[in-house]
Amino acid sequence: MGILKSTINAPLSFEWIGQDICKWKHVVCDSSKRVKAIQIGNQNLQGTLPKELAMLTALTRFECQDNNLTGVFPYLSKSLQRLVIHDNNFNLFPSDFFKGMSSLQEVTIDNNPFSQWNIPDSLKDCVALQTFSAQSAGLAGTIPDFFGRDGPFAGLVFLDLSDNFLEGGLPASLSGSSIENLLVNGQNGNSKLNGTLEVLGKMKSLKQIWANGNSFTGPIPDLSHHDQLYDVNLRDNQLTGVVPPSLVALPSLKSVNLTNNLLQGSPPRFKDGVAVDNNMDKGRNQYCTDVVGQSCSPLVNALLSIVQPLGYPLNFAQSWQGNDPCANGWTGVICSGGNVSVINFQNMGLSGTICPCFAALTSVTKVLLANNNLTGTIPNELASLPHLQELDVSNNHIYGKVPSFREGVDVKYEGNPDIGKNEQTNPGHVGKVNNNNTAIIVGVTVMVVVLLVAGVLILVMFRRKAKRKLQNQSTIVVPPRYGDGSVAKIISGNISSLLSPSQSVYKGEASNMLIPIQILREATNNFSEGNILGKGGFGTVYKGELHDGTKIAVKRMQSTGFVDQKGQSEFTSEIAVLTRVRHRNLVALLGFCLDGSERLLVYECMPQGALSRHLVNWKQEGLKPLEWKTRLGIALDVARGVEYLHGLAQQIFIHRDLKPSNILLGDDMRAKVSDFGLVRLAPEGKTSFQTRLAGTFGYMAPEYAATGRLTTKVDVYSFGVILMEMITGRKALDDSLPEENIHLVTWFRKMLINKDSFRTIIDPTIKVDEEMLLSISTVAGLAGHCCAREPHQRPDMSHVVNVLSSLVQVWKPSETNVDEAYEIDFDMTLPEALQRWKQFEGNSHTIDIDVTSSTRHLNANNSYSDP
Ligand code: ADE
């Protein structure tokens, strides 16, 4: 500290005098009088930092932001949790600085003239990282592939890499990441960040995207499931394609900037209240008109549909200007008499598939697509083109049967090795068709084309009227999830009558998800025994695979030959809930099917099945028992899913049937809550209400079982039981035990009273050391708290998430002694803990002295300790 004092020329105002450095201003010590924080930000300091700072081994927080410090930034303690050094003049940052920094949560190093460096591999050691902010910090090279869900950062929410020298693409591994704020704008290198923005569509936690000032190409991805996204800045790139209606309609959106790209189609009209800098200067984007919200001509729309499955190539977007393809010399489009006569896309390096929507160009005589990298099949619709004389698809990767064209049409398809075969042999291109599927695809795509063309015309003439009419008819558009993945399918039907008004189903959204039973039969091998994943009172769950390889789980509700009231209600409830809520810890509903008395629900597949298989039945299932760390992660995932249901989804949903068999696991052992058949939506403004009793004994909160009054605390109770099962490996009710021990919660409370008996209840498959014991006892305390007798004594799920996330971040096997780890703990979670704790106190009042509460109290360390 003495050396630091001299190298930064500590001003007198610091009062860095005397031997007791713990009395120095801006310095905080721990109880053993070791320096744990140095906070010298914004002090107009000049000078350097000494390498001796590394000797402060208890240092958890170092802040020196907004000064004029220079030189090489020194190594610091491996216990560091917060590093805030932005806006200085440091010129070198050691690339192995992050090695072993497993407690580091925040790195803010923006605006320093560091000599160029790559994002170092050692950053992977920072498993607790929540914020990495390195704007204008000399970063070069590419964005590494460890920021995603499969990387080490379970809690990373803020990633700012803007204003650096980064190049290359956004890595596909970002898919599924927890990042909420992604700022990669304004790269200064030659090639900047480039490639497509496709992965953003799979980062559903995003709230803010700044990708402006780069060289990104291709279309804006579908962001319709990004229910928290409020700020999107994509200006100054080379983005092409139509602005997705899903972005325009996004309810959470507050600010959007798309200026200076090559966006096509109709200029989007965002809703009132969204700040839009969507510069309409001609040439800034390639919209077909200057009038916001005005539709493009049907011909423009048809051509844009054709290039959509080709990824809206740049050369087309650059040349396709205005609203009349025949007046403006559009690349690849030749007209005659005001109509498109030739499509010439030969030798353009195109990849993607041939759109059946070519059928909309009824005047076309030649479709020339030779010498590209096209995949998929030749759509049958092309055979219906009345004036077609020549179709040339030679030298591509087309497979499948060549449709029967009229006599006289010259069809050229040489140089496609798999033409005529039912599947593609080239492993680089996925594709498999069978004739039944082709028939379905063809059928629905014909309807797509017909409705698309008709829709466009109707829209132009009678926009409002048409909209109402389409809604009344419940025309159902199934998103392109099955089939070849590129073509939307339209199925007509009327589901409104099946979805009762009391279920408050979002009919509009649900109606997008109807799936024909034939597709599900094919996906599940006609519901064969071998595909059964599980059975329950509700019916049977089958595994399946769509033709594009998507793995699905199909829940076939018990069919009694007629549609019974209870089954129907659970079916519609599930659809109603899952079309309104989207969260990475809630299993996603992909679609559903109504066919006679058949009711089927289609979900994403969770390959590791239910938690119950791994917790209690692991031996019979031939599985390994779960490690404690895995159990903690699962608990946090479930807590996050339920927290979202309870409030973050804007409305209050109560699950009512949380239990291990309703928690599903992926191959990465991350968990999602499933089975929303019993979910109830709290009436507007009400947090407590009466319902018919439903749920599972052993998990049901006592007040709900006794009175039927439902609050979110009913789920908190069930969650507490699940935690108890995770700690003990025991079932919620176990008839094989003596009477007084049958009920897990009662037994658990009893055993928790003293430390010695507590050790005996831990699942014997967990190899417990002292450090782990601390973590387990915290969770045990939390479990008891969740199962408090009175609902108001139980915490909210946000509190549960808080406690578990601090444990997931902190708990890891290491050599550090327990006291030290404990102290780090304290410092790390305090501000958040206090804030949440205050909230919690406000909501739930103090814990009374009874068996439950007297055994544990939440302290400011956000952990539960013995009294
Ligand atoms: N069992 C019930 N639902 C399931 C799903 N979505 N994935 C795997 N197994 C399941």
Side-chain angles (χ1 to χ4, degrees), residues 264 302-313 315-317 319-320 325 330-334 340 342-351 353-355 357-358 361 364 366-374 391-396:
Q264 297 163 283
L303 287 165
L304 289 175
S305 307
I306 286 169
V307 291
Q308 191 218 332
L310 307 175
Y312 295 110
N315 55 334
F316 293 132
S319 114
W320 288 11
W330 285 25
T331 295
V333 182
I334 299 169
V340 176
V342 178
I343 290 290
N344 183 358
F345 292 176
Q346 300 186 104
N347 299 303
M348 287 186 173
L350 302 177
S351 47
T353 57
I354 304 173
C355 186
C357 54
F358 265 106
L361 300 179
V364 81
K366 292 186 185 187
V367 176
L368 310 176
L369 307 173
N371 305 323
N372 285 299
N373 293 310
L374 299 177
L391 170 69
D392 188 353
V393 297
S394 39
N395 303 319
N396 279 290

Side-chain angles (χ1 to χ4, degrees), residues 67 259 266 519 569 623 682 719 739 757 827 833 857:
N67 284 302
T259 301
S266 161
I519 285 188
S569 144
L623 298 165
F719 182 79
E739 189 70 31
S757 64
D827 191 47
H857 301 271

Side-chain angles (χ1 to χ4, degrees), residues 629 769 771-772 810-816:
K629 196 174 164 192
D769 59 24
E771 195 181 353
M772 203 187 293
V810 168
W811 190 83
K812 58 211 159 290
S814 82
E815 267 79 66
T816 12

Side-chain angles (χ1 to χ4, degrees), residues 533 541 553 587 603-606 609 664:
L533 284 171
V541 181
V587 72
Y603 305 93
E604 62 179 315
C605 187
M606 300 293 290
L664 299 176

